[in-house]
Amino acid sequence: MGYVAIKGGGKAIAGAEKLLEFVRTRQGESAEPLDLETIENQLYFLHSRIISEGGLYHPKLASLAIKQSLGDTLEASFALRAYRSTKPRLVESPVTETSNMRVIRRISASFKDIPGGQMLGASTDYALRLMRTELLDESPEAFKAVAANWLDNNSHNEIPDTFPKVLDALREEGLLPPVDQAAAEKKPFDITREPLVFPVPRSAALSTMARSETGSILAIAYSNMRGYGDIHPTVAELRVGYLPVMLPHPITGEPIEVGEVLMTECEVVAMYEDEEEGGKPTFSLGYGACFGHNEVKAISMSVLDRALQSGMKNGPTNPSEDPEFVLLHIDGIDSMGFCTHYKMPHYVTFQSDMDRLRTTQDKHDDANQGAGNV
Amino acid sequence: MNKTCRKIPRSAWIRALKLVPVDEIKALIDAVINEYQVSYKSIPQTGLGVLQTKDTAMHEPYFLGEFPIAISWVVLTDKQGKTFEGAAQLMDDDQNLASLLAVCDAILANDLMACSKLSDLLERGEFKFEQEALTRKAMLGSTVVDFSLLGATNEKENKSV
C-alpha cells in the first residue's frame, strides 16, 4: 500500500473543526452547555462504557470526552486512551481483593438464596421498555424531588459492608477446581507495556477484555452463546460496587485508601470437566470484570474467558475459543481506527487499482476480439 | 500526643480530606504554614497507577486498568530546625492538591499546629463518607430479593375476579 503526502486541505480541516463545534452548540441561547457532573450522573451507563473502554478510571475526563465527542462512544474512549498515553506510569497497586467491594448490586442466577442475600440495586432488567413520556417535559423541581424523596424514604443501616463470594461456598464443597497457587502468584501481563504476541497468558486476555469495546465483546460472546461453543454458563454471581484502591503510604508503607473505582464483576459456572489425572470432575469457571457499571460486558467477558481457557488448553474449535481471533478484534480504538482510516485519501492505491483493471479489461477485450476473428 | 488528633486512622485521611472543600483546607494550612519551612523530599508528580486485582474464579492476578495518581512527599522544618515528614497519594491529577494533603499528613501524623482543627475537618469528611456509605446500603436494602415459593403466598390477591 502506498501513501503520498498531499497539501491543500488545511483550511477545509479547520473549517470542519469549527463546523463540528457549531453543531455542538447550535441549540443557541435556549440551551445550557452540558456540565461534566450531569454527564457522569444522568448518562451513567454511557459514562461507564467510556471509562472501561478507555481503560482509565478518570470520571471527570470521561465526561469531558463524551462532551467533546458529542456522545460518540468510540471517539470518547479514544480521547481517554490518548490522554493516558501521555502520562507516566508512577505506581502499580498491590493485588486488590474485590471481595472488599462496597456493593450496590448483587445477584445470582445459580441460587435463590446466597450468603448475604440478593439485592437488585439500580437495574433496567425489569423495565417494560416503554417510552416514559412523563420525562418529555420534566421540570427541574420534579427532577430534584425524586432523589430527595428516595433518600427520605430509604435507609438500611443493617446491611453489611462487604459480602462473601458465592464461588467460595461452591469451592468449599469441592465442586470447583482447586486454586492453582503457582498461577495465583504469577506476575500479570501488562498490555499497556508489552505487545500481544501469541500465545499470551490468561492475565493478558483478562486485561484486554476488561478494556474491550462492549459491542465487540458481546458479539463474539454471543456467537458462543448461540451455538459456536459449548459453555452453557450460569451466573454464579454478578456484583456492582465501589472497590477501594489502596496504596502503601510513601513513608510508613501502611495501606492508604487513595480513592475508589466503580466496577462490575461476574463469575460464571460452566459445564463440568473430567479431571485429567483421575481426580474428581468439577465445574469449569469464567470471570469477567470492568470499570464502571456494565453488566453486558462483564457477562460477555466471563463467557469468553471460559471459552478462551478451553481454546488455550485443547486448541480452539470455534472463533470464540481462539485467543488471537478474540483478543485482536475486541478493542474499539484499534478497530475503529482501522475502519475510519478508509475515509482517508487512498488516491494513489486506487489509481493503481484502476490502471490494473483497465489493463485487464483491455486484455479481455483483445482476447475476445481475437476469438471472434477465428 | 494531642488526643483530638488521629480519631480517624491514617488509612482514611486522604479519602476523608478529599470530601472536604479544598478552600477550607487551604485556609487552615495557610494560617499555620509560615511557622514552617516547606521542602519536597521528592518532586511532586502526576501520572498513572495501574490497578492490580485478582480474578475471583481462579484467583489469578491481572491488571483491571489504570487510574490517575498525584503524589507528593513534603518535609516541614520548624524554627528550631526540627523536621516532620508527610506524604500523600490520591486518585487525582492535581499535584498541588497532593502537596496540600501531604502537608496535612505531616501535621496530623506529628501533632503539629492546627492538628485539632484539621482533625475536625477530617471528621467532617469521614462523616460525608459514612453518609454516602449509608446511601449505598439503602440502595441494597430497598431492593433485597425476598424469594418465596409459588403457592406459599396468598395468590388469591392476584387473581382477577
Side-chain angles (χ1 to χ4, degrees), chain A residues 55 57-58 83-84 88-91 93 96-97 118 120-121 159 161 171 207 248-249 257-258 260 267, chain B residues 10-11 15 48-50 52 54-57 59 61 63 66 68 89 91 93 105 134 136-137 142-143 145:
Chain A
Y57 195 87
H58 201 314
Y83 171 82
R84 69 147 294 281
R89 167 74 59 78
L90 302 182
V91 292
S93 82
T96 306
E97 301 279 353
Q118 296 198 46
L120 301 181
I159 301 286
D161 292 330
R171 188 162 266 128
S207 294
H249 191 281
E257 183 174 339
V258 300
E260 61 179 7
E267 299 101 8
Chain B
R10 197 175 198 171
S11 61
R15 85 170 179 209
L48 301 178
V50 63
Q52 186 178 186
K54 201 161 66 175
D55 93 86
T56 43
H59 294 216
F63 294 121
E66 293 171 300
Q89 295 183 110
M91 277 177 61
D93 42 20
D105 185 65
L134 288 177
R136 290 172 184 173
K137 287 184 179 185
S142 64
T143 56
V145 182

Side-chain angles (χ1 to χ4, degrees), chain A residues 31-347:
Chain A
E32 292 284 329
L34 279 170
D35 75 79
L36 301 187
E37 282 193 25
T38 300
I39 292 172
E40 184 176 347
N41 288 285
Q42 294 189 48
L43 301 177
Y44 170 74
F45 291 111
L46 170 64
H47 188 263
S48 280
R49 272 189 67 161
I50 303 312
I51 274 197
S52 80
E53 294 172 17
L56 176 65
Y57 195 87
H58 201 314
K60 190 173 159 190
L61 289 186
S63 294
L64 178 61
I66 291 168
K67 181 174 177 170
Q68 73 181 40
S69 65
L70 284 68
D72 183 322
T73 56
L74 293 165
E75 284 287 348
S77 306
F78 197 159
L80 199 58
R81 192 82 68 85
Y83 171 82
R84 69 147 294 281
S85 72
T86 66
K87 307 296 281 184
R89 167 74 59 78
L90 302 182
V91 292
E92 179 183 311
S93 82
V95 177
T96 306
E97 301 279 353
T98 57
S99 54
N100 294 327
M101 191 191 290
R102 296 161 182 152
V103 175
I104 57 170
R105 169 164 160 79
R106 179 175 188 248
I107 56 168
S108 171
S110 305
F111 304 99
K112 66 183 177 68
D113 296 315
I114 56 175
Q118 296 198 46
M119 292 105 169
L120 301 181
S123 173
T124 55
D125 286 353
Y126 306 95
L128 293 174
R129 275 82 179 188
L130 298 176
M131 286 295 171
R132 290 182 57 200
T133 49
E134 74 274 18
L135 299 184
L136 281 172
D137 193 19
E138 190 179 23
S139 72
E141 293 75 26
F143 178 84
K144 287 170 190 163
V146 174
N149 290 340
W150 190 89
L151 286 168
D152 286 346
N153 296 326
N154 290 283
S155 70
H156 289 272
N157 298 339
E158 71 281 8
I159 301 286
D161 292 330
T162 58
F163 295 87
K165 279 283 181 185
V166 170
L167 285 191
D168 291 343
L170 286 174
R171 188 162 266 128
E172 277 175 22
E173 277 192 59
L175 297 171
L176 302 184
V179 172
D180 179 350
Q181 283 306 330
E185 284 161 18
K186 262 189 195 164
K187 176 88 180 149
F189 187 99
D190 188 350
I191 59 166
T192 68
R193 291 289 179 277
E194 296 173 68
L196 290 180
V197 178
F198 294 91
V200 293
R202 180 166 171 260
S203 60
L206 292 176
S207 294
T208 305
M209 290 193 285
R211 67 177 199 176
S212 65
E213 200 268 331
T214 306
S216 305
I217 196 170
L218 169 64
I220 301 181
Y222 185 48
S223 75
N224 186 290
M225 296 173 209
R226 283 204 68 221
Y228 293 95
D230 192 20
I231 287 185
H232 301 286
T234 305
V235 172
E237 187 173 346
L238 176 74
R239 56 168 72 180
V240 182
Y242 292 85
L243 180 66
V245 177
M246 310 294 286
L247 291 179
H249 191 281
I251 300 171
T252 66
E254 68 181 297
I256 301 289
E257 183 174 339
V258 300
E260 61 179 7
V261 297
L262 175 65
M263 68 175 290
T264 309
E265 187 174 55
C266 175
E267 299 101 8
V268 294
V269 174
M271 292 180 67
Y272 66 82
E273 286 182 338
D274 291 327
E275 189 59 41
E276 279 174 358
E277 292 165 6
K280 269 200 290 191
T282 51
F283 281 125
S284 57
L285 296 167
Y287 176 82
C290 60
F291 282 152
H293 186 164
N294 191 339
E295 298 174 15
V296 163
K297 182 169 172 178
I299 296 168
S300 299
M301 177 172 162
S302 60
V303 169
L304 285 179
D305 174 44
R306 168 61 181 80
L308 291 177
Q309 286 178 56
S310 180
M312 287 171 181
K313 189 175 163 191
N314 308 316
T317 58
N318 60 66
S320 66
E321 290 180 355
D322 184 342
E324 193 166 340
F325 181 83
V326 173
L327 302 180
L328 292 185
H329 297 105
I330 54 173
D331 189 87
I333 286 97
D334 277 357
S335 52
M336 167 267 223
F338 211 100
C339 177
T340 54
H341 109 277
Y342 286 118
K343 292 185 288 186
M344 299 294 116
H346 283 67
Y347 307 136

Side-chain angles (χ1 to χ4, degrees), chain B residues 40-54:
Chain B
Y40 293 106
K41 181 98 173 185
S42 57
I43 299 168
Q45 281 183 291
T46 59
L48 301 178
V50 63
L51 180 57
Q52 186 178 186
T53 59
K54 201 161 66 175

